[in-house]
Amino acid sequence: MIKVEGLTKRYARTVAVDNISFEVEKGQIVGFLGPNGAGKTTTMRVLTCFLPPSEGKATVAGFDVLENPMEVKKRIGYLPETPPLYPEMEVVEYLNFVGKLKGIASGEIPQRVDDVMRRCAVADVRNKLISKLSKGYRQRVGLAQAIIHNPDVLILDEPTSGLDPKQIIETRELIRSLAGDHTIILSTHILTEVEQSCERVIIISSGKLVAIDSVANLTNRLRGSEAVAVELEATEGRPNPSEVQQRLEQVSGVSRVVMKDSRNGRLAFEVESLQGRQIRADLARTVVNSGWNLNELRSVGLSLEDIFLQLTASEQKDTVGAKE
Amino acid sequence: MKSILLICQKELKSYFASPIAYLLMAFFGLIFGFGMFTATRDFVRFSFQMQMQGGGAPMSVNEQIIRPLLGFGSTISLFLVPMITMRLFAEEKRSGTIELLLTSPVTDTQIIVGKWLGAMLLYLCILLMSVVNVALLFAWGKPDVAPVLVAYLGLLLQAGCLLAIGEFISTTTRNQIIAGGVTFFVCLMLWLLNWFTSFDSGTLATIVNYLSIVTHFDNFAKGVIETKDVIFYLSMIFFALFITSRSMESLRWRS
Ligand SMILES: Nc1ncnc2c1ncn2[C@@H]1O[C@H](COP(=O)(O)OP(=O)(O)OP(=O)(O)O)[C@@H](O)[C@H]1O
Ligand SMILES: [Mg+2]
């Protein structure tokens, strides 16, 4: 349904998207994951014909975004990063306008508008001015706007940002319920979000594709690996940092040890485990048995950044994995 | 066509949803009313003197009141246009709604023409404020209708050009104030050029005069429709709207 080949997008100085290729099949929900500035929004803007690609090709439902933008636009519903709302309009008025703009027959509009207002839970503010809405409600109206013409492809840029927890769950459910007849790409920073609503994940980082995988595979790869901060007391160069590092690396289940700090009588390390391994008890035992004074031992959990580091590191080893 | 009207309607609604439309209408109505008051007062004084002296050329409401008054209206338009066009694209770019327009199944041309039409209709509404005044003249004197209508047509055509130019300027920035400021400057230059060259008759002055949007209004003000003026205005409108679409295209490629 969506096919991207060698897509590159350059702004004046920056390369925002660098030679990305992927495919999304009909009916799939794909999560687009990446840290700030990764190029998620840029990729989506190319897919929605808002920006032309600098190099490469992107097609939606078989139509090229450069050669046949009109056909692409007809089939796409798009929720940009900032919902494109006219503050001076009432919610109903706005949705009516968008419905007509998307080319819905005027006879069907009232029914479509009612339908999306119900699905996106904005019926209670239908006659409010958009300028008077809270951020969460604006986000919902933005979502309503994207699905009003029942598009084949939905492109949602951070659809749950600014929503309250209850609404986040409802939105995820809404998105899941749209899958099947709709192909959906949604971008996010939040890993759990991808886990809960997507079937496949595309991870990009500073414009480059890092991984494409099914959610099940990816979470298996990541689940269970943990990071532990270990801090020892050190006096007059004892214990020797490199010796400590060596010993910690020998603990079973440890994948990586990084020294963080060795000043003020402290030796701080960050230790990462292999998947599915509990290492805290073993670490503590090793430290105590070596006769060192343990100041602190604390699980720090893997942040999205760590996962990226892990992924980029492992993907470089087997680059084939990125292309599938 | 449906999309053009849809966008036009949306523009009109947003003009009237904010105070700007009413402010401009009130502003124009007041200034025009004041202009008429002065013109009529002088007219009455003159014709009184004429009667006292006896004889002299007969006074004409068309020549002495309506013509200068609508010429005055043409000048005021130069100040109205920036206020009308500054938000057209700048605001959509700032608020991000441009993403909705450009990812919907409508062409750039439909967007541009729709917005221009919306601006024209607002201008028409503003112009209607003067109709009350002019109607008074009809109730009181016996001016010819045709020249008045021709002058109004001229005002509309002139505004069409200026609004198209303003629309173009509005695509180049996301800041309304800058868009308005630059448009105002351009209008001011047009006005000044017209004023300077009216004293001069060299070749350069003639060329500048021909290209000046304001000059072409003169014949309309006299109640004469010259084909060359109409063609000039229409091609100017077309050209400015064309440039606007090129500008949108290039911004897309550059940004
Ligand atoms: N209009 C622009 N002009 C120049 N550079 C831009 C423009 N828009 C984005 N960029 C740059 O392109 C890169 C990718 O930006 P993009 O907005 O696609 O990231 P993102 O993945 O959506 O990030 P975020 O999670 O913060 O939304 C960034 O380095 C950004 O600075
Ligand atoms: Mg983004």
Side-chain angles (χ1 to χ4, degrees):
Chain A
M1 197 68 182
I2 298 172
K3 198 166 170 191
V4 173
E5 285 169 82
L7 177 71
T8 299
K9 176 70 196 174
R10 279 183 223 98
Y11 290 111
R13 249 169 269 137
T14 40
V15 181
V17 175
D18 192 359
N19 197 10
I20 283 185
S21 304
F22 62 86
E23 258 181 74
V24 180
E25 266 140 50
K26 190 172 184 313
Q28 269 190 341
I29 309 187
V30 172
F32 217 46
L33 199 63
N36 289 131
K40 304 181 293 291
T41 301
T42 307
T43 310
M44 293 184 151
R45 284 180 163 174
V46 171
L47 284 176
T48 52
C49 310
F50 182 71
L51 290 176
S54 309
E55 268 164 48
K57 236 172 96 110
T59 55
V60 175
F63 295 102
D64 190 286
V65 291
L66 271 185
E67 279 151 28
N68 232 328
M70 227 16 126
E71 295 303 317
V72 174
K73 289 176 188 177
K74 273 184 207 160
R75 289 168 176 76
I76 272 188
Y78 176 37
L79 171 63
E81 211 160 20
T82 32
L85 307 174
Y86 292 104
E88 71 273 10
M89 291 189 190
E90 288 171 7
V91 173
V92 180
E93 194 186 350
Y94 171 74
L95 291 175
N96 271 317
F97 169 72
V98 178
K100 285 183 201 151
L101 193 66
K102 300 289 180 186
I104 305 176
S106 42
E108 285 175 37
I109 284 186
Q111 191 219 324
R112 287 295 309 159
V113 169
D114 279 345
D115 188 40
V116 293
M117 281 198 301
R118 191 176 40 71
R119 293 182 92 160
C120 299
V122 291
D124 50 331
V125 293
R126 55 180 297 148
N127 289 320
K128 253 195 166 177
L129 280 180
I130 290 177
S131 60
K132 303 252 159 74
L133 294 184
S134 68
K135 175 156 164 44
Y137 269 97
R138 285 178 201 206
Q139 190 71 23
R140 296 190 216 175
V141 177
L143 195 61
Q145 162 277 132
I147 62 177
I148 193 163
H149 54 305
N150 219 347
D152 294 341
V153 176
L154 262 177
I155 297 193
L156 310 173
D157 203 346
E158 299 180 24
T160 55
S161 84
L163 298 181
D164 62 46
K166 180 165 165 281
Q167 192 57 35
I168 287 183
I169 293 168
E170 282 173 21
T171 305
R172 284 179 190 158
E173 264 161 22
L174 171 66
I175 291 172
R176 265 201 303 267
S177 77
L178 291 168
D181 7 316
H182 302 73
T183 309
I184 303 174
I185 298 190
L186 63 90
S187 82
T188 175
H189 307 116
I190 308 163
L191 197 64
T192 47
E193 179 149 314
V194 173
E195 228 178 312
Q196 288 176 13
S197 38
C198 304
E199 293 149 22
R200 268 154 56 86
V201 195
I202 298 173
I203 299 188
I204 59 172
S205 170
S206 50
K208 294 204 172 55
L209 197 77
V210 174
I212 306 182
D213 215 333
S214 72
V215 173
N217 282 348
L218 192 76
T219 43
N220 275 345
R221 260 159 78 182
L222 299 174
R223 178 169 295 136
S225 95
E226 68 172 341
V228 180
V230 181
E231 193 182 303
L232 306 183
E233 210 177 273
T235 37
E236 290 152 15
R238 299 204 55 85
N240 182 339
S242 56
E243 188 195 338
V244 177
Q245 177 146 7
Q246 248 174 19
R247 290 255 184 109
L248 293 181
E249 274 166 357
Q250 280 158 8
V251 174
S252 83
V254 168
S255 70
R256 204 156 73 108
V257 179
V258 184
M259 179 144 88
K260 291 280 183 191
D261 195 6
S262 62
R263 283 166 303 161
N264 306 333
R266 304 185 312 131
L267 272 178
F269 294 90
E270 192 166 296
V271 184
E272 279 171 29
S273 76
L274 293 170
Q275 276 120 52
R277 300 292 292 264
Q278 295 291 328
I279 53 171
R280 269 174 290 173
D282 286 343
L283 282 177
R285 204 167 300 126
T286 308
V287 171
V288 174
N289 288 348
S290 308
W292 303 325
N293 291 334
L294 184 61
N295 268 359
E296 190 183 13
L297 193 141
R298 161 175 65 96
S299 171
V300 287
L302 281 176
S303 66
L304 188 58
E305 287 301 327
D306 296 325
I307 290 163
F308 273 105
L309 290 178
Q310 276 203 354
L311 275 173
T312 28
S314 63
E315 289 300 325
Q316 269 160 5
K317 275 180 232 145
D318 51 296
T319 23
V320 247
K323 294 273 157 66
E324 268 201 344
Chain B
M1 196 61 204
K2 233 167 83 183
S3 311
I4 293 181
L5 290 181
L6 178 69
I7 296 200
C8 167
Q9 187 192 8
K10 180 220 116 199
E11 289 303 324
L12 260 189
K13 260 192 201 158
S14 69
Y15 279 127
F16 282 96
S18 73
I20 187 78
Y22 304 101
L23 276 178
L24 291 180
M25 284 165 78
F27 168 76
F28 186 77
L30 274 178
I31 299 243
F32 198 88
F34 178 74
M36 169 160 145
F37 169 73
T38 357
T40 330
R41 189 192 56 197
D42 292 351
F43 179 82
V44 172
R45 200 176 287 158
F46 261 124
S47 45
F48 194 64
Q49 279 173 2
M50 291 291 211
Q51 270 179 2
M52 296 292 282
Q53 292 162 0
M59 300 280 291
S60 138
V61 178
N62 274 94
E63 285 291 312
Q64 253 80 26
I65 301 185
I66 297 182
R67 196 172 133 196
L69 206 52
L70 290 179
F72 181 53
S74 139
T75 309
I76 303 174
S77 301
L78 295 176
F79 298 87
L80 294 175
V81 164
M83 311 269 211
I84 300 178
T85 58
M86 61 183 196
R87 50 174 291 287
L88 281 179
F89 278 97
E91 180 60 16
E92 306 250 15
K93 286 170 82 169
R94 193 196 56 77
S95 72
T97 43
I98 192 80
E99 288 200 65
L100 171 64
L101 292 184
L102 294 190
T103 59
S104 293
V106 290
T107 61
D108 286 5
T109 313
Q110 287 169 331
I111 299 172
I112 292 168
V113 175
K115 280 175 173 285
W116 176 78
L117 217 55
M120 278 300 276
L121 287 180
L122 174 64
Y123 179 80
L124 189 66
C125 292
I126 295 172
L127 211 53
L128 282 179
M129 299 305 292
S130 71
V131 169
V132 188
N133 292 298
V134 176
L136 266 180
L137 289 178
F138 277 91
W140 168 63
K142 290 222 161 23
D144 285 340
V145 187
V148 176
L149 290 182
V150 169
Y152 270 110
L153 176 69
L155 279 178
L156 280 178
L157 284 170
Q158 183 200 13
C161 287
L162 296 173
L163 290 172
I165 293 172
E167 183 174 4
F168 160 65
I169 293 170
S170 185
T171 56
T172 60
T173 171
R174 53 170 53 216
N175 185 327
Q176 284 198 57
I177 307 298
I178 293 180
V182 174
T183 310
F184 178 70
F185 180 76
V186 169
C187 286
L188 200 67
M189 285 318 285
L190 285 173
W191 186 57
L192 285 179
L193 272 183
N194 178 54
W195 193 61
F196 286 143
T197 53
S198 59
F199 300 123
D200 200 345
S201 56
T203 349
L204 185 67
T206 321
I207 294 171
V208 171
N209 239 341
Y210 179 74
L211 289 179
S212 165
I213 288 164
V214 185
T215 327
H216 288 264
F217 177 69
D218 291 346
N219 283 330
F220 287 98
K222 287 178 201 144
V224 186
I225 302 182
E226 288 262 15
T227 329
K228 73 170 169 55
D229 295 328
V230 177
I231 288 177
F232 172 83
Y233 276 142
L234 291 182
S235 44
M236 226 17 218
I237 291 172
F238 181 80
F239 179 69
L241 292 181
F242 176 73
I243 297 282
T244 311
S245 83
R246 299 318 304 161
S247 159
M248 267 173 83
E249 189 81 350
S250 88
L251 287 176
R252 214 183 268 194
W253 281 93
R254 269 192 289 126
S255 72

